[in-house]
Amino acid sequence: MHEFDLIKRYFQKPAAGSVKIGVGDDAAVLAVPPGYELVVTTDTLVSGVHFFADVSPATLGHKALAVNLSDLAAMGAQPAWFTLALTLSQADPEWVDAFAQGLFLLAESSGIALVGGDTTQGPLSITITAMGLVPQGQALTRGGAQTGDLVFVSGTIGDAAQALADLKKWGQTPTRLRARLECPTPRLALGQALRGLATACIDVSDGLVQDLGHILAASGRGAKINLSPFLSGDDYELLFTAREHSLADIMAAAVACECVVTPIGHIQAEPGLHLIDAQGQEYQPEEPGFQHFSEP
Ligand code: ADP
Ligand code: MG
């Protein structure tokens, strides 16, 4: 199957609504509604780095989009459009078909339209650029945490890291944990509900300690976190801060979004992160978080 047949068969959808020109021209033309700002994010998944080469193509299609949607969620954005740069070692129609099914299932349920991309031959890798919309000036950022704020995390932290550790060590993991690793649920409704409530927000992709560190650095603050030692990474949950008086509103938003949200600590004026276990003892995290190009 050739490049153009493949694009047409699996990725070309008719332009509709805000998509004035979609797949099939030199570039897409998109209508941004007045009063909104465009939020843009890119994430790449590389075979052997972000996923096992033999992962099911449908779950890979899901995850490639999910990790980008998670970034839109962390900004409080509503998903609108995405592009897909696909590098394939070969054009296996069965593989591409399953990949596209996983991708479009999540795209349709999230209200995001594929509007363009690129298709090339080489070692398997997937780059998605996702675009979303927020009302002017309302995007959530990493930089707004204030002294005394509560720190919250959505969902459960550690399932994906546990699944990855199991798979590396034993080659297997319980189905529920595998799903948390391969099919994360981006917290889109929660992210949008947090507009005007959260003072700072980030998605937990590289590990809670490292990602909280980004909020603290951007906000010029420190934090005290009460959690027993935990594994984290690939969680795609939201980590956010809010004023203490917003607690009831945050919990109501979480319930409305069918999402568990747990307060885990406080923002402090002094820089530095203090992790406190169930016995009240401070401890150091075993692994601070994932980084490409880090020393072995
Ligand atoms: P160009 O040579 O101008 O880069 P291409 O031949 O790469 O154009 O792409 C033709 C059209 O198909 C463009 O609209 C492009 O956005 C779209 N396209 C290419 N690959 C993909 C893909 N994997 N998913 C969605 N759209 C794609
Ligand atoms: Mg091209």
Side-chain angles (χ1 to χ4, degrees), residues 124-154:
L124 177 60
S125 107
I126 302 136
T127 297
I128 285 180
T129 298
M131 289 160 272
L133 298 167
V134 278
Q136 234 155 44
Q138 288 190 34
L140 304 174
T141 68
R142 298 175 176 188
Q146 297 172 47
T147 303
D149 280 0
L150 288 168
V151 179
F152 297 86
V153 69
S154 70

Side-chain angles (χ1 to χ4, degrees), residues 111-255:
I112 192 164
L114 179 62
V115 298
D118 203 17
T119 307
T120 52
Q121 188 167 25
L124 177 60
S125 107
I126 302 136
T127 297
I128 285 180
T129 298
M131 289 160 272
L133 298 167
V134 278
Q136 234 155 44
Q138 288 190 34
L140 304 174
T141 68
R142 298 175 176 188
Q146 297 172 47
T147 303
D149 280 0
L150 288 168
V151 179
F152 297 86
V153 69
S154 70
T156 54
I157 292 292
D159 294 343
Q162 184 62 52
L164 185 61
D166 285 354
L167 289 170
K168 281 185 174 160
K169 199 164 176 192
W170 312 110
Q172 52 187 341
T173 191
T175 311
R176 186 187 72 82
L177 294 189
R178 183 188 278 269
R180 291 278 293 152
L181 175 68
E182 294 181 349
C183 280
T185 306
R187 301 295 180 195
L188 288 162
L190 180 65
Q192 290 165 69
L194 291 177
R195 293 198 296 240
L197 276 180
T199 48
C201 188
I202 191 169
D203 73 319
V204 182
S205 53
D206 296 330
L208 187 141
V209 167
Q210 181 164 306
D211 291 321
L212 178 56
H214 293 312
I215 286 188
L216 300 181
S219 303
R221 296 289 190 282
K224 194 177 197 177
I225 299 297
N226 301 292
L227 277 178
S228 296
F230 54 97
L231 278 173
S232 177
D234 263 332
D235 302 289
Y236 300 102
E237 295 295 343
L238 295 183
L239 174 67
F240 58 96
T241 59
R243 307 301 298 162
E244 250 180 2
H245 64 70
S246 302
L247 178 61
D249 289 339
I250 297 278
M251 289 307 169
V255 168

Side-chain angles (χ1 to χ4, degrees), residues 3-4 7 26 117-120:
E3 179 188 336
F4 299 129
I7 296 167
D26 290 308
D118 203 17
T119 307
T120 52

Side-chain angles (χ1 to χ4, degrees), residues 27-193:
V29 177
L30 310 167
V32 178
Y36 283 81
E37 287 168 339
L38 187 63
V39 178
V40 183
T41 182
T42 294
D43 259 313
T44 296
L45 299 188
V46 177
S47 181
V49 179
H50 300 98
F51 57 90
F52 297 108
D54 62 353
V55 72
S56 116
T59 60
L60 188 57
H62 173 101
K63 185 160 180 179
L65 182 58
V67 301
N68 280 278
L69 291 174
S70 179
D71 283 319
L72 291 184
M75 301 299 290
Q78 169 192 337
W81 313 291
F82 72 106
T83 63
L84 169 68
L86 195 53
T87 303
L88 300 171
S89 47
Q90 76 250 17
D92 171 2
E94 236 173 79
W95 193 97
V96 179
D97 191 20
F99 175 85
Q101 280 187 36
L103 180 84
F104 282 115
L105 205 60
L106 180 61
E108 277 152 27
S109 67
S110 311
I112 192 164
L114 179 62
V115 298
D118 203 17
T119 307
T120 52
Q121 188 167 25
L124 177 60
S125 107
I126 302 136
T127 297
I128 285 180
T129 298
M131 289 160 272
L133 298 167
V134 278
Q136 234 155 44
Q138 288 190 34
L140 304 174
T141 68
R142 298 175 176 188
Q146 297 172 47
T147 303
D149 280 0
L150 288 168
V151 179
F152 297 86
V153 69
S154 70
T156 54
I157 292 292
D159 294 343
Q162 184 62 52
L164 185 61
D166 285 354
L167 289 170
K168 281 185 174 160
K169 199 164 176 192
W170 312 110
Q172 52 187 341
T173 191
T175 311
R176 186 187 72 82
L177 294 189
R178 183 188 278 269
R180 291 278 293 152
L181 175 68
E182 294 181 349
C183 280
T185 306
R187 301 295 180 195
L188 288 162
L190 180 65
Q192 290 165 69

